[in-house]
Amino acid sequence: MRESLVEQRRELHMHPELSFEEWETGKKIREQLLTLGYELQEGIPAPNCVAILRGGKPGKTVALRADIDALPITEENDVPYRSQNEGVMHACGHDAHTAMLLGAAKLLADHRDCLDGNVKLIFQQAEELIPGGAKPLTEAGVMENPHVDAIFTQHVQAFVPVGSFSVSIGPAMAATDTFKIHIRGKGGHGGHYHAATDIIVVAAQVISALQIISSRKLSPFRPIALSICNVHGGTTDNVLPDEVVLGGTLRTYDTKTRTHVLDEMHSILGHITAMHGASYTLDLHCGYPAVINDADAVAFGKRIAEKLIGEGHFNDHEDPSMGGEDFAYYLAYAPGAMFNIGIGNAARGITASIHNSRFDIDEDCLPLGTAFLASLAYGYLKENA
Ligand code: NI
């Protein structure tokens, strides 16, 4: 199937659509699945597409998920299949995810009679943009009718060489909260700072002090990422502003740690602003929950992958990532795992990471990822029949 998979991926790559705008992509997917004889789950809002294949024998239901959206990035690759939608690019490989799941859809439909249960294929919009596409799908009942017993997905990664996979057991992707801190005080003349509350200095102390949370307030065995990513305050060079706004992201793996960090942030903000006679507010915006891979699902995936690629090409001790993924929402309903599929190939110059304007994949991953997805579904149903 290599040729058709490459063609499918390049077609998607040339016509990327932004999160929540994947109308044409969704339509193409739906048409192909109907042609293959899939039944579409009712009540699922377009452009999402959820397709069910009922196997020849009764059994459990396994779900496979692909995300279908692209990013607001201008592609810098000079390739024949370069994005034709200027300013929009499949720079996270969701074109490959979609092509591989469509390939698996064909393989599974061709072997429908030997499936011990049902396969549900989830083509999900808007992974890249909070609140994301997964949460509304779970609310629309994607994990029921029929009830999903296990769910799997894969994500392309350049740091994994093509022909291999990696995965973390347990924590895999972090919860992705963002926050805004407003620091307020009395503005004034830059030369007469003693008559004002210099909240630029307050903000500087806050930014520095927040770093002691990860270095001194938490156990070294509790990883977090707390980054101030933007600072806004002031308009001219001789006026002290009356407000500084700090924006940032907080990445955690469990609610206990998240609560602890927030308490420490309030403590630091409270003490530093009080010392200067300033005030503050801290607003947290909840993002995706953490992706926690089920240990049995990871072990199962390893067995399946090693049947395809032999031993020594499946690293099940990958470092967890502080990136986020809305695949987490499905895992609240059924155990599962998210695997990294290798697409990197230094010899061919394929090294750019996801979300880079030069991101590309080694297309040799396509047949392997297709086989892996189909084998996960087939194998899960067989082992649990
Ligand atoms: Ni992605």
Side-chain angles (χ1 to χ4, degrees):
M1 291 171 69
R2 190 183 195 284
E3 211 171 302
S4 65
L5 289 168
V6 167
E7 195 185 320
Q8 176 91 259
R9 180 259 164 169
R10 292 186 176 189
E11 177 67 23
L12 289 160
H13 191 85
M14 284 191 280
H15 303 101
E17 292 178 293
L18 290 172
S19 308
F20 295 108
E21 297 173 15
E22 312 90 334
W23 301 105
E24 289 305 314
T25 307
K27 204 171 127 212
K28 275 184 234 163
I29 293 167
R30 210 168 314 121
E31 283 166 5
Q32 289 195 37
L33 291 166
L34 288 172
T35 306
L36 289 170
Y38 279 75
E39 143 195 355
L40 298 185
Q41 182 165 347
E42 283 178 29
I44 298 295
N48 297 289
C49 181
V50 176
I52 300 162
L53 183 69
R54 296 186 197 270
K57 291 165 263 180
K60 299 219 170 196
T61 299
V62 60
L64 304 171
R65 175 272 210 165
D67 38 15
I68 65 172
D69 54 326
L71 286 158
I73 292 176
T74 300
E75 176 156 21
E76 287 194 81
N77 292 316
D78 184 18
V79 288
Y81 49 89
R82 188 180 182 278
S83 168
Q84 294 179 4
N85 187 0
E86 197 60 24
V88 183
M89 178 189 176
H90 269 298
C92 199
H94 299 187
D95 50 344
H97 300 168
T98 303
M100 291 186 280
L101 192 55
L102 284 170
K106 178 169 187 335
L107 276 178
L108 290 163
D110 288 348
H111 297 86
R112 180 183 200 143
D113 292 344
C114 43
L115 293 176
D116 297 278
N118 312 309
V119 180
K120 192 180 276 198
L121 305 181
I122 302 171
F123 293 87
Q124 177 217 307
Q125 70 171 166
E127 186 280 323
E128 298 286 0
L129 194 62
I130 285 172
K135 188 163 183 268
L137 277 185
T138 57
E139 288 162 357
V142 73
M143 298 300 277
E144 297 301 327
N145 300 318
H147 172 75
V148 172
D149 296 290
I151 182 162
F152 301 98
T153 194
Q154 60 183 353
H155 203 296
V156 297
Q157 291 294 357
F159 62 81
V160 182
V162 70
S164 52
F165 292 88
S166 84
V167 66
S168 331
I169 300 170
M173 306 283 280
T176 58
D177 301 326
T178 57
F179 58 82
K180 284 268 186 259
I181 295 169
H182 290 255
I183 297 172
R184 296 188 183 90
K186 189 175 153 203
H189 196 295
H192 304 156
Y193 53 84
H194 52 290
T197 316
D198 187 350
I199 51 166
I200 297 285
V201 169
V202 179
Q205 291 182 349
V206 165
I207 293 168
S208 297
L210 288 175
Q211 301 313 310
I212 68 173
I213 298 176
S214 57
S215 67
R216 283 298 170 266
K217 296 290 184 183
L218 284 172
S219 155
F221 298 99
R222 295 220 169 251
I224 66 156
L226 172 56
S227 296
I228 300 291
C229 299
N230 56 76
V231 179
H232 298 278
T235 50
T236 63
D237 295 341
N238 62 356
V239 177
L240 295 168
D242 53 17
E243 182 176 73
V244 172
V245 183
L246 311 176
T249 186
L250 170 61
R251 308 290 169 115
T252 53
Y253 274 110
D254 60 274
T255 48
K256 192 181 148 204
T257 304
R258 179 210 253 165
T259 307
H260 185 170
V261 172
L262 283 173
D263 287 348
E264 294 291 350
M265 288 174 77
H266 277 291
S267 170
I268 287 167
L269 281 159
H271 283 99
I272 292 179
T273 53
M275 189 164 78
H276 293 274
S279 64
Y280 80 96
T281 54
L282 166 58
D283 298 307
L284 186 79
H285 306 280
C286 291
Y288 300 155
V291 173
I292 310 291
N293 284 333
D294 178 77
D296 291 339
V298 169
F300 164 72
K302 185 176 185 180
R303 278 203 309 282
I304 292 294
E306 288 185 341
K307 277 187 198 170
L308 296 170
I309 52 176
E311 286 181 24
H313 306 285
F314 189 102
N315 170 17
D316 55 357
H317 284 82
E318 186 59 80
D319 285 342
S321 161
M322 283 296 173
E325 242 286 351
D326 66 354
F327 185 66
Y329 287 106
Y330 305 107
L331 295 178
Y333 294 82
M338 175 169 187
F339 302 97
N340 297 320
I341 175 167
I343 56 105
N345 190 334
R348 289 192 196 168
I350 302 168
T351 55
S353 66
I354 52 173
H355 293 219
N356 184 295
S357 57
R358 294 197 180 276
F359 176 77
D360 203 355
I361 64 168
D362 185 328
E363 288 172 328
D364 282 349
C365 74
L366 296 172
L368 176 57
T370 299
F372 182 54
L373 288 172
S375 304
L376 283 170
Y378 173 82
Y380 180 85
L381 295 177
K382 177 115 320 217
E383 287 191 16
N384 292 281

